[in-house]
Amino acid sequence: MTIQQDIKPDFDAIKTKQNAAWASGNYAIVGSTLQIVGETLAEVMDPKPGSKILDVAAGNGNATLAFARRWHDVTSTDYVQSLLDAGQARATAEGHSVTYEVADAEALPYADGAFDAVVSTYGVMFAPDQQKAAAEMIRTTRSGGQIGMSNWTPSGFVGQLFKRLGAHVAPPAGVKSPALWGDEAWIDTTFGPAAKAISITKRQFVFRYASPAHFVEVFRSFYGPVHKAFLALDEAGQEALEADIIDLISEMNAATDGSMAVPSDYLEVIVLKA
């Protein structure tokens, strides 16, 4: 009888590959379309102006800008320098003063309770060591402060997109799906012991593109994980992946004029730390 053993992932090697994936393409082109999500999170959390905010895995800075526009003291972090550079250019163009620092979501270089609020929109959920990343968000939030997140759900469009990607290009052994952060039970189990209260609201972001083929073109060119998935396949594999993505879009597309309007469920999570 064969005994099944848990595979311990090499998180350092995985993060090195992830860093290269997110640095490839030009995520800012895709990321900037999601700005409304950062604005919504900032409105709902509504910390007192002047609060110290940490944006974890900030990407090109959607949540960073949303909180900076509300006069908060924002520190924007990511482990990809080019993404921070894109975020800083946006903040500079608007005249906002934001601190930008390279930081690993699983080992944040800040003291316990250093921030009034720690936030992440579609960012920290991609950290391979999910428990460590969650623990770091909790650790760096002060008692009585807030943790705010926007996380794609497993059953929503993005969760299903990553599932289809994984069917064509196998994910790293032992690493759980990023969409786990969009599972309410996992949120309660992971953040509950440190929380005074947890508020979870299911929301939707609508992906709007000129056509399904336009979406594939943009994500294939600019969105790191999809970009790398296509590069890993031969011509036949690329055609199969493209067809699979188009099929997924057709299942969920609300547009009837040849364009694309696909709603994607996400969880807006606000944790009040005990």
Side-chain angles (χ1 to χ4, degrees):
M1 181 178 71
T2 301
I3 298 176
Q4 185 72 31
Q5 295 182 338
D6 291 335
I7 298 173
K8 185 176 181 180
D10 184 344
F11 289 122
D12 288 338
I14 291 167
K15 282 188 285 189
T16 297
K17 291 182 178 179
Q18 283 186 334
N19 187 299
W22 288 110
S24 67
N26 187 349
Y27 174 73
I29 290 176
V30 174
S32 61
T33 68
L34 302 166
Q35 182 61 47
I36 191 173
V37 176
E39 301 292 339
T40 301
L41 183 65
E43 279 293 296
V44 173
M45 291 180 69
D46 192 26
K48 179 182 177 181
S51 295
K52 294 185 67 177
I53 310 294
L54 175 65
D55 190 358
V56 179
N60 68 310
N62 289 340
T64 292
L65 279 176
F67 284 93
R69 288 167 179 157
R70 290 158 177 80
W71 313 111
H72 298 298
D73 178 6
V74 183
T75 298
S76 186
T77 65
D78 202 285
Y79 67 169
V80 180
Q81 182 65 58
S82 61
L83 294 180
L84 292 177
D85 291 342
Q88 187 167 18
R90 298 175 74 193
T92 299
E94 293 191 13
H96 297 298
S97 179
V98 174
T99 300
Y100 288 88
E101 294 179 342
V102 173
D104 183 346
E106 298 171 8
L108 295 170
Y110 306 110
D112 296 357
F115 296 92
D116 299 302
V118 177
V119 303
S120 187
T121 55
Y122 313 134
V124 72
M125 63 183 293
F126 291 99
D129 192 336
Q130 298 171 327
Q131 295 296 331
K132 186 174 288 187
E136 283 294 271
M137 295 186 80
I138 294 168
R139 181 186 66 78
T140 53
T141 305
R142 68 167 174 82
S143 177
Q146 298 181 89
I147 299 168
M149 296 171 285
S150 300
N151 301 327
W152 300 119
T153 66
S155 60
F157 173 67
V158 174
Q160 290 300 301
L161 174 63
F162 274 89
K163 184 176 180 180
R164 298 208 181 196
L165 285 178
H168 292 264
V169 180
V175 174
K176 297 177 181 178
S177 169
L180 194 62
W181 287 72
D183 179 85
E184 294 189 35
W186 186 85
I187 290 292
D188 284 336
T189 299
T190 303
F191 290 91
K196 182 177 181 180
I198 299 178
S199 171
I200 299 177
T201 303
K202 181 175 284 189
R203 299 190 185 275
Q204 289 186 331
F205 173 83
V206 180
F207 285 89
R208 301 184 187 277
Y209 285 80
S211 67
H214 178 226
F215 172 87
V216 174
E217 177 187 357
V218 170
F219 268 62
R220 179 175 181 169
S221 299
F222 303 120
Y223 187 74
V226 177
H227 178 71
K228 286 293 188 181
F230 273 97
L231 289 179
L233 298 169
D234 59 19
E235 184 176 352
Q238 291 176 7
E239 291 176 356
L241 175 56
E242 181 173 2
D244 212 3
I245 295 174
I246 293 292
D247 179 66
L248 174 63
I249 294 171
S250 68
E251 292 178 7
M252 308 182 78
N253 198 2
T256 58
D257 58 359
S259 66
M260 173 177 163
V262 172
S264 186
D265 291 343
Y266 73 91
L267 295 188
E268 179 187 82
V269 179
I270 300 174
V271 178
L272 179 62
K273 185 176 175 181

PDB file of all heavy atoms in Angstrom, residues 207-215 218 253 255 257-261:
ATOM      1  N   PHE A 207     -15.833  42.471 -15.752  1.00  0.00           N
ATOM      2  CA  PHE A 207     -14.773  42.591 -16.750  1.00  0.00           C
ATOM      3  C   PHE A 207     -15.406  43.014 -18.069  1.00  0.00           C
ATOM      4  O   PHE A 207     -16.187  42.265 -18.662  1.00  0.00           O
ATOM      5  CB  PHE A 207     -14.036  41.259 -16.910  1.00  0.00           C
ATOM      6  CG  PHE A 207     -13.107  40.952 -15.778  1.00  0.00           C
ATOM      7  CD1 PHE A 207     -13.562  40.263 -14.661  1.00  0.00           C
ATOM      8  CD2 PHE A 207     -11.775  41.347 -15.819  1.00  0.00           C
ATOM      9  CE1 PHE A 207     -12.706  39.974 -13.607  1.00  0.00           C
ATOM     10  CE2 PHE A 207     -10.910  41.069 -14.771  1.00  0.00           C
ATOM     11  CZ  PHE A 207     -11.370  40.384 -13.660  1.00  0.00           C
ATOM     12  N   ARG A 208     -15.070  44.205 -18.519  1.00  0.00           N
ATOM     13  CA  ARG A 208     -15.662  44.764 -19.748  1.00  0.00           C
ATOM     14  C   ARG A 208     -14.566  44.908 -20.806  1.00  0.00           C
ATOM     15  O   ARG A 208     -13.604  45.658 -20.631  1.00  0.00           O
ATOM     16  CB  ARG A 208     -16.318  46.118 -19.462  1.00  0.00           C
ATOM     17  CG  ARG A 208     -17.416  46.048 -18.402  1.00  0.00           C
ATOM     18  CD  ARG A 208     -18.104  47.389 -18.211  1.00  0.00           C
ATOM     19  NE  ARG A 208     -19.040  47.352 -17.095  1.00  0.00           N
ATOM     20  CZ  ARG A 208     -20.285  46.904 -17.157  1.00  0.00           C
ATOM     21  NH1 ARG A 208     -20.750  46.437 -18.327  1.00  0.00           N
ATOM     22  NH2 ARG A 208     -21.077  46.905 -16.097  1.00  0.00           N
ATOM     23  N   TYR A 209     -14.742  44.180 -21.901  1.00  0.00           N
ATOM     24  CA  TYR A 209     -13.781  44.219 -22.996  1.00  0.00           C
ATOM     25  C   TYR A 209     -14.537  44.268 -24.320  1.00  0.00           C
ATOM     26  O   TYR A 209     -15.739  43.971 -24.382  1.00  0.00           O
ATOM     27  CB  TYR A 209     -12.849  43.004 -22.938  1.00  0.00           C
ATOM     28  CG  TYR A 209     -11.817  43.145 -21.829  1.00  0.00           C
ATOM     29  CD1 TYR A 209     -12.144  42.866 -20.498  1.00  0.00           C
ATOM     30  CD2 TYR A 209     -10.534  43.597 -22.108  1.00  0.00           C
ATOM     31  CE1 TYR A 209     -11.219  43.024 -19.481  1.00  0.00           C
ATOM     32  CE2 TYR A 209      -9.600  43.762 -21.094  1.00  0.00           C
ATOM     33  CZ  TYR A 209      -9.943  43.478 -19.790  1.00  0.00           C
ATOM     34  OH  TYR A 209      -9.027  43.655 -18.774  1.00  0.00           O
ATOM     35  N   ALA A 210     -13.823  44.655 -25.383  1.00  0.00           N
ATOM     36  CA  ALA A 210     -14.473  44.812 -26.683  1.00  0.00           C
ATOM     37  C   ALA A 210     -15.065  43.511 -27.193  1.00  0.00           C
ATOM     38  O   ALA A 210     -16.075  43.508 -27.904  1.00  0.00           O
ATOM     39  CB  ALA A 210     -13.480  45.380 -27.696  1.00  0.00           C
ATOM     40  N   SER A 211     -14.456  42.399 -26.816  1.00  0.00           N
ATOM     41  CA  SER A 211     -14.926  41.075 -27.224  1.00  0.00           C
ATOM     42  C   SER A 211     -14.210  40.045 -26.365  1.00  0.00           C
ATOM     43  O   SER A 211     -13.194  40.359 -25.716  1.00  0.00           O
ATOM     44  CB  SER A 211     -14.614  40.816 -28.703  1.00  0.00           C
ATOM     45  OG  SER A 211     -13.213  40.715 -28.891  1.00  0.00           O
ATOM     46  N   PRO A 212     -14.673  38.791 -26.339  1.00  0.00           N
ATOM     47  CA  PRO A 212     -13.919  37.750 -25.637  1.00  0.00           C
ATOM     48  C   PRO A 212     -12.495  37.617 -26.164  1.00  0.00           C
ATOM     49  O   PRO A 212     -11.550  37.437 -25.378  1.00  0.00           O
ATOM     50  CB  PRO A 212     -14.745  36.488 -25.907  1.00  0.00           C
ATOM     51  CG  PRO A 212     -16.146  36.994 -26.047  1.00  0.00           C
ATOM     52  CD  PRO A 212     -16.005  38.302 -26.770  1.00  0.00           C
ATOM     53  N   ALA A 213     -12.326  37.716 -27.486  1.00  0.00           N
ATOM     54  CA  ALA A 213     -10.985  37.624 -28.065  1.00  0.00           C
ATOM     55  C   ALA A 213     -10.106  38.776 -27.595  1.00  0.00           C
ATOM     56  O   ALA A 213      -8.896  38.601 -27.363  1.00  0.00           O
ATOM     57  CB  ALA A 213     -11.073  37.608 -29.587  1.00  0.00           C
ATOM     58  N   HIS A 214     -10.689  39.954 -27.407  1.00  0.00           N
ATOM     59  CA  HIS A 214      -9.938  41.109 -26.900  1.00  0.00           C
ATOM     60  C   HIS A 214      -9.457  40.848 -25.488  1.00  0.00           C
ATOM     61  O   HIS A 214      -8.304  41.157 -25.143  1.00  0.00           O
ATOM     62  CB  HIS A 214     -10.833  42.358 -26.953  1.00  0.00           C
ATOM     63  CG  HIS A 214     -10.190  43.587 -26.415  1.00  0.00           C
ATOM     64  ND1 HIS A 214     -10.844  44.447 -25.540  1.00  0.00           N
ATOM     65  CD2 HIS A 214      -8.955  44.115 -26.611  1.00  0.00           C
ATOM     66  CE1 HIS A 214     -10.036  45.436 -25.229  1.00  0.00           C
ATOM     67  NE2 HIS A 214      -8.882  45.266 -25.863  1.00  0.00           N
ATOM     68  N   PHE A 215     -10.299  40.261 -24.653  1.00  0.00           N
ATOM     69  CA  PHE A 215      -9.900  39.911 -23.282  1.00  0.00           C
ATOM     70  C   PHE A 215      -8.703  38.971 -23.310  1.00  0.00           C
ATOM     71  O   PHE A 215      -7.714  39.179 -22.580  1.00  0.00           O
ATOM     72  CB  PHE A 215     -11.060  39.259 -22.538  1.00  0.00           C
ATOM     73  CG  PHE A 215     -10.675  38.687 -21.193  1.00  0.00           C
ATOM     74  CD1 PHE A 215     -10.692  39.471 -20.059  1.00  0.00           C
ATOM     75  CD2 PHE A 215     -10.283  37.356 -21.065  1.00  0.00           C
ATOM     76  CE1 PHE A 215     -10.332  38.958 -18.819  1.00  0.00           C
ATOM     77  CE2 PHE A 215      -9.915  36.828 -19.835  1.00  0.00           C
ATOM     78  CZ  PHE A 215      -9.938  37.631 -18.712  1.00  0.00           C
ATOM     79  N   VAL A 218      -5.522  40.834 -24.308  1.00  0.00           N
ATOM     80  CA  VAL A 218      -4.990  41.699 -23.260  1.00  0.00           C
ATOM     81  C   VAL A 218      -4.357  40.884 -22.145  1.00  0.00           C
ATOM     82  O   VAL A 218      -3.226  41.160 -21.709  1.00  0.00           O
ATOM     83  CB  VAL A 218      -6.099  42.614 -22.699  1.00  0.00           C
ATOM     84  CG1 VAL A 218      -5.617  43.353 -21.445  1.00  0.00           C
ATOM     85  CG2 VAL A 218      -6.543  43.617 -23.755  1.00  0.00           C
ATOM     86  N   ASN A 253     -20.840  35.319 -19.913  1.00  0.00           N
ATOM     87  CA  ASN A 253     -20.935  36.635 -20.530  1.00  0.00           C
ATOM     88  C   ASN A 253     -22.365  37.175 -20.502  1.00  0.00           C
ATOM     89  O   ASN A 253     -23.297  36.515 -20.962  1.00  0.00           O
ATOM     90  CB  ASN A 253     -20.438  36.564 -21.972  1.00  0.00           C
ATOM     91  CG  ASN A 253     -20.097  37.927 -22.543  1.00  0.00           C
ATOM     92  OD1 ASN A 253     -20.193  38.943 -21.865  1.00  0.00           O
ATOM     93  ND2 ASN A 253     -19.705  37.946 -23.811  1.00  0.00           N
ATOM     94  N   ALA A 255     -23.067  40.157 -21.912  1.00  0.00           N
ATOM     95  CA  ALA A 255     -23.228  41.003 -23.099  1.00  0.00           C
ATOM     96  C   ALA A 255     -23.863  40.210 -24.237  1.00  0.00           C
ATOM     97  O   ALA A 255     -23.610  39.014 -24.391  1.00  0.00           O
ATOM     98  CB  ALA A 255     -21.880  41.549 -23.535  1.00  0.00           C
ATOM     99  N   ASP A 257     -24.039  41.817 -27.460  1.00  0.00           N
ATOM    100  CA  ASP A 257     -23.715  42.580 -28.669  1.00  0.00           C
ATOM    101  C   ASP A 257     -22.340  42.236 -29.231  1.00  0.00           C
ATOM    102  O   ASP A 257     -21.779  42.980 -30.029  1.00  0.00           O
ATOM    103  CB  ASP A 257     -23.789  44.080 -28.384  1.00  0.00           C
ATOM    104  CG  ASP A 257     -22.849  44.506 -27.268  1.00  0.00           C
ATOM    105  OD1 ASP A 257     -22.149  43.634 -26.698  1.00  0.00           O
ATOM    106  OD2 ASP A 257     -22.807  45.717 -26.947  1.00  0.00           O
ATOM    107  N   GLY A 258     -21.792  41.100 -28.801  1.00  0.00           N
ATOM    108  CA  GLY A 258     -20.476  40.697 -29.269  1.00  0.00           C
ATOM    109  C   GLY A 258     -19.346  41.156 -28.388  1.00  0.00           C
ATOM    110  O   GLY A 258     -18.205  40.722 -28.556  1.00  0.00           O
ATOM    111  N   SER A 259     -19.641  42.048 -27.443  1.00  0.00           N
ATOM    112  CA  SER A 259     -18.617  42.500 -26.503  1.00  0.00           C
ATOM    113  C   SER A 259     -18.561  41.537 -25.311  1.00  0.00           C
ATOM    114  O   SER A 259     -19.222  40.494 -25.300  1.00  0.00           O
ATOM    115  CB  SER A 259     -18.919  43.923 -26.037  1.00  0.00           C
ATOM    116  OG  SER A 259     -20.104  43.978 -25.267  1.00  0.00           O
ATOM    117  N   MET A 260     -17.795  41.906 -24.304  1.00  0.00           N
ATOM    118  CA  MET A 260     -17.659  41.071 -23.109  1.00  0.00           C
ATOM    119  C   MET A 260     -18.021  41.882 -21.879  1.00  0.00           C
ATOM    120  O   MET A 260     -17.489  42.972 -21.653  1.00  0.00           O
ATOM    121  CB  MET A 260     -16.237  40.542 -22.980  1.00  0.00           C
ATOM    122  CG  MET A 260     -15.973  39.798 -21.672  1.00  0.00           C
ATOM    123  SD  MET A 260     -14.299  39.131 -21.612  1.00  0.00           S
ATOM    124  CE  MET A 260     -14.148  38.800 -19.835  1.00  0.00           C
ATOM    125  N   ALA A 261     -18.935  41.348 -21.086  1.00  0.00           N
ATOM    126  CA  ALA A 261     -19.285  41.929 -19.790  1.00  0.00           C
ATOM    127  C   ALA A 261     -19.508  40.758 -18.840  1.00  0.00           C
ATOM    128  O   ALA A 261     -20.623  40.248 -18.707  1.00  0.00           O
ATOM    129  CB  ALA A 261     -20.535  42.797 -19.887  1.00  0.00           C
TER     130      ALA A 261
END
